[in-house]
Amino acid sequence: MELSTLDYSFIIVFFSIVLGIGIYVSKKSGKDSAEYFLSGRTMPWWLLGLSMVATTFSTDTPNLVTDIVRTNGVSGNWVWWAFLLTGLLTVFVYAKLWRKSNVNTDLEFYELRYGGAPAKFLRKFRAVYLGVIFNVITMSAVTLAAIKIGGIMLGLEPWQTVVSAGLITVTFSALGGFKGVVYTDFLLFFVAMGGAIGAAYYLVNIPEVGGIDALMANEHVKDKLSILPDFSNTKALITLFIIPLAVQWWSSWYPGAEPGGGGYIAQRMLAAKNENHAIGATFFFNIMHYALRPWPWILVALASLVVYPDVASIHAAFPNVAADKLGHDLAYSAMLTKLPSGLLGLVLASLIAAYMSTISTQLNWGSSYIVYDFYKQQINPNATEKRLVAVGRISTVVLMIFSAVLALLLQNALQLFEVLLVFGAGTGLIFILRWFWWRINAWSEITAMFASGIISIVLKLTAVGPFFFAAETGVFPDWAEYPMVVLVTTLIWLAATYMTQAESKEVLQSFYKKIQPGGPGWKSVISSAEKDNVEIVNAKEKWSVPAGIGAMLLGCVLIYSCMFATGYWIYGYYTGAISLTILAAISGTLLAVVWNKMKSNIL
């Protein structure tokens, strides 16, 4: 397909603005490491919230959602919709704790919560494990999506897409640091959202699809519309609904949805002006992420079933696409080729925006781990601020190169989604409890991390664990063994917790005094401090977890109601849409009351 002058104009103007922002803020961002990675901790909630949304608005996400919808219908999205519970637990329980910790990265938390050599090892190891290995895997999935979009829409070879898209992204990321990332995210969000909505509206109404009514009635679509899985299909009910809601959301570590908060979400909470801004940013993110964004992608995915009912039809329309890149996820890009001039340029700019936002965030976050948690700790403890910024910029470039090479070797984005979920299975409960149970120590986390990874690898190598997507058959993974991985990993780390020595009372008392986590899990530490005449409890601060959990549940009702009401309005199911809209209004009102009480306790 060929782009018009108008299309190219959209893309060129967009690239110019993004690079201009990176260059503009580069001088201030390079002043010291706190500016480069946290923007001096001065960011407002709305800007951080938009940045979180833009970051998760990556090029692989529309492809992933398309793959899920075409394979398992709309209800298949519960594999990631379930993470709303994690997100709102972070909002109403953990956001203020992270901001009070005042650490530079969430890995620095390890030496605040734990002590001695195990804590130092855990911090350095996870800096490489998450900052390099997991980070490169995540970025490669995003880059793979860009390769597929470039191949179908622009006829580019994979290496051409990697070089052209990656070069600009790594340039402004290395120059602008965190402030450049957040400022550009503000622009990227509106461009990406506008492109997604514009594409969905146009593609549903093309002659081949025939509008929303014809789409709903199409034989390839009507059995894919349900928001809830078929309750008569036990396997689908368990794998697509029960396990995600009952186990997955709290048990798995996954980038952007870490139980208890972490990664680039924690980075943004740490960059907030104060605790209230950290909470506001994460709540705003969850509303936008779940209630606003899914439906444009879902509509395009459903429309693609009319135009390209199977992978063979996609291949027939685009014979030049490499065989190892074929899959249902290509349907999203295939549909975009039908956009008219002007809108095509806007949508391409939106996809570029999504790519750049995610990659720039991952690069800055990953390099912060390398700088603070590995280089400064292991190699050069006395490094100057200028040296730390320089190492951050170099590691940004290196991470980009690694992820680009891996992307050229991959086939399917859903493969990586499942790999990441299973590799973190069973570790999530530690991230939730470590703030509120004194007995968890560094060995708990070390054991859980290795146990989960080893069990997952063994299951994969022995072909026992059906966790990985079979692109050639379109079969979604059977998650029947997922709870077993969680159970075994949990039992192993609990055993390690009781078999190893607890953290010293000095470490525990220092942590409690700084964070004030509260709750019955710290009673023995408080009693010990009282016997030692050490004051660690702030009597003015109330334990907010019960109220936080109540707010979390109300927030889930609010956001799920909004999301599903939107779907029903689109479908034309007006009775259900009205009922859910009323439910959203009621839960929103109740949440406002609870939030105002919690807010007064924080101030």
Side-chain angles (χ1 to χ4, degrees), residues 259-316:
Y264 54 78
I265 299 298
Q267 185 187 31
R268 279 151 179 75
M269 291 189 286
L270 293 169
K273 288 181 177 180
N274 55 42
E275 295 162 30
N276 281 326
H277 280 269
I279 294 170
T282 47
F283 186 49
F284 181 64
F285 158 67
N286 279 278
I287 293 174
M288 301 292 282
H289 181 60
Y290 292 98
L292 177 65
R293 290 194 315 179
W295 286 106
W297 301 330
I298 290 172
L299 286 173
V300 174
L302 292 172
S304 75
L305 286 166
V306 179
V307 182
Y308 306 106
D310 50 34
V311 174
S313 60
I314 299 174
H315 191 204

Side-chain angles (χ1 to χ4, degrees), residues 323-342:
D324 66 342
K325 296 293 187 283
L326 280 173
H328 282 290
D329 57 339
L330 276 176
Y332 190 83
S333 305
M335 291 296 290
L336 297 184
T337 63
K338 299 183 175 297
L339 295 175
S341 176

